[in-house]
Amino acid sequence: MDPVTRLGVVGCGLMGSGIAEVAALHGLDVRIAETTPDAAEAGLRRLTTSLDRGVQRGKLTEEQRDQALARLSLTHDLGEMADRQFVIEAVAENRDIKSDVLRALDKAVEDPQAILATNTSSIPIVDLAVTTERPGQVIGMHFFNPVPVQQLVELIPALTTSQETLQRTRNLAQLLGKQAIQAPDRSGFVVNALLVPYLLSAVRMVESGAARPEDIDQGMELGCAHPMGPLRLLDLIGLDTAQAVAESMYEEFKEPLYAPPPLLRRMVAAGHIGRKSGRGFYPYDA
Ligand code: CAA
């Protein structure tokens, strides 16, 4: 099995830009696909800012930053993923959008053994795998935000995923400096199955007027040593993404604890989706 040297990343939002940054820093040739020039520019800006920050904090040399940037290329055409050995899709958490991207990649990527991984947080991997002609080479590879910081990757083989695909994906995670755990192909996998009910409980606490966001967050930060409380974390993840994840989990299990509370839905409808929109449970500089 050749090690992966040519990686594709589809989507350059919060997760895609982080995955591309880490991969370029670890020496991979990374091609990023985005739909619009504006989205590509915003993603590249986020990635460059993160690398610059690494230089300012003394974690990276200017040379390492420049080499990483030189390993990145951008395209608007999934056809340009033809020579990739491994492609990770990190587009919006929506079943139809993800299926469309995977089907297009399946046609575009020439090597039939190339792997198509999805960074979905909650959509069953098998549902996405069977939309392609290579279900054996489709797998879940779930990163955590911010990708350059969080050590974990969940590897989620579907019923259709081959052992070789799982092993190659494990090898890639290692090459990217991540710790992998294997997770079941159940909506929410391991981490979100535990995290999402907790986050939704915090929203319900605000909604009912029981406690203020600041007090809830301080409670969990100072009382349980979490790096950030649940409402700040929701702002980081994006309330739109959190709602989509909760909906998938609710669809799978029909458990009330996964149902997005009305306040979450209203905030998403209002566009108050967290840091990326400048406003969520807290205000942020644009
Ligand atoms: N790139 C590289 N390094 C970064 C970074 C980035 N984008 N953002 C932060 N860092 C580094 C900083 O350089 C700093 O490192 P040092 O201490 O070694 O200098 C460290 O991370 C801490 O950063 P800051 O001091 O700027 O800020 P902080 O201490 O407030 O930490 C945080 C910020 C890393 C986000 C931290 O609060 C944290 O870990 N929060 C929890 C995040 C979390 O739970 N993520 C999982 C979300 S769930 C998910 O993603 C899955 C899903 O499906 C929804």
Side-chain angles (χ1 to χ4, degrees):
M1 286 187 288
D2 292 340
V4 174
T5 55
R6 295 186 306 280
L7 182 77
V9 177
V10 184
C12 199
L14 273 181
M15 300 304 286
S17 61
I19 296 166
E21 176 189 340
V22 169
L25 278 173
H26 284 82
L28 299 191
D29 165 338
V30 184
R31 187 158 303 146
I32 308 171
E34 249 305 350
T35 41
T36 66
D38 282 355
E41 198 187 313
L44 200 57
R45 205 178 318 121
R46 187 179 306 113
L47 197 157
T48 311
T49 305
S50 178
L51 287 171
D52 285 343
R53 184 174 145 154
V55 173
Q56 280 155 18
R57 292 203 177 218
K59 290 186 178 171
L60 296 177
T61 63
E62 288 188 11
E63 193 186 7
Q64 283 171 315
R65 175 197 58 196
D66 295 344
Q67 283 173 346
L69 286 171
R71 291 188 196 107
L72 294 164
S73 56
L74 271 168
T75 179
H76 304 302
D77 176 7
L78 286 185
E80 290 190 24
M81 293 290 177
D83 68 342
R84 300 290 102 177
Q85 298 160 292
F86 200 111
V87 185
I88 305 172
E89 75 70 23
V91 299
E93 188 70 6
N94 173 293
R95 190 182 292 247
D96 292 340
I97 298 174
K98 285 191 185 289
S99 300
D100 287 350
V101 166
L102 286 169
R103 263 197 305 273
L105 285 171
D106 188 26
K107 291 202 176 70
V109 175
E110 280 167 4
D111 176 0
Q113 294 310 312
I115 293 172
L116 307 180
T118 167
N119 182 54
T120 178
S121 308
S122 59
I123 301 169
I125 309 303
V126 74
D127 290 355
L128 299 171
V130 297
T131 63
T132 73
E133 301 287 322
R134 61 176 95 197
Q137 279 85 255
V138 176
I139 188 166
M141 188 175 194
H142 183 216
F143 290 82
F144 290 80
N145 187 7
V147 179
V149 179
Q150 307 299 342
Q151 289 298 299
L152 184 71
V153 175
E154 288 179 308
L155 304 183
I156 310 107
L159 282 175
T160 46
T161 307
S162 74
Q163 277 305 314
E164 188 181 343
T165 298
L166 177 60
Q167 189 54 48
R168 287 193 81 193
T169 309
R170 201 179 283 287
N171 295 348
L172 177 64
Q174 198 178 11
L175 195 76
L176 299 180
K178 300 294 180 196
Q179 297 281 336
I181 60 168
Q182 191 170 325
D185 188 14
R186 290 158 45 100
S187 186
F189 315 131
V190 167
V191 173
N192 279 335
L194 294 169
L195 180 66
V196 170
Y198 156 69
L199 298 178
L200 298 182
S201 298
V203 177
R204 288 190 198 100
M205 217 179 236
V206 175
E207 188 171 50
S208 68
R212 296 180 311 149
E214 296 84 342
D215 293 321
I216 296 171
D217 282 340
Q218 214 176 16
M220 296 312 291
E221 286 159 21
L222 301 183
C224 298
H226 287 197
M228 51 180 30
L231 301 159
R232 276 187 216 292
L233 182 53
L234 275 165
D235 279 356
L236 176 74
I237 293 170
L239 274 62
D240 52 341
T241 300
Q243 178 180 309
V245 172
E247 275 168 352
S248 289
M249 292 173 67
Y250 184 72
E251 190 185 317
E252 176 118 311
F253 299 108
K254 304 291 186 289
E255 295 273 8
L257 80 166
Y258 299 130
L263 176 62
L264 183 67
R265 292 187 182 284
R266 298 302 174 273
M267 289 177 72
V268 172
H272 300 173
I273 57 175
R275 283 191 192 188
K276 60 190 173 188
S277 71
R279 183 165 173 190
F281 287 97
Y282 301 94
Y284 300 89
D285 292 336

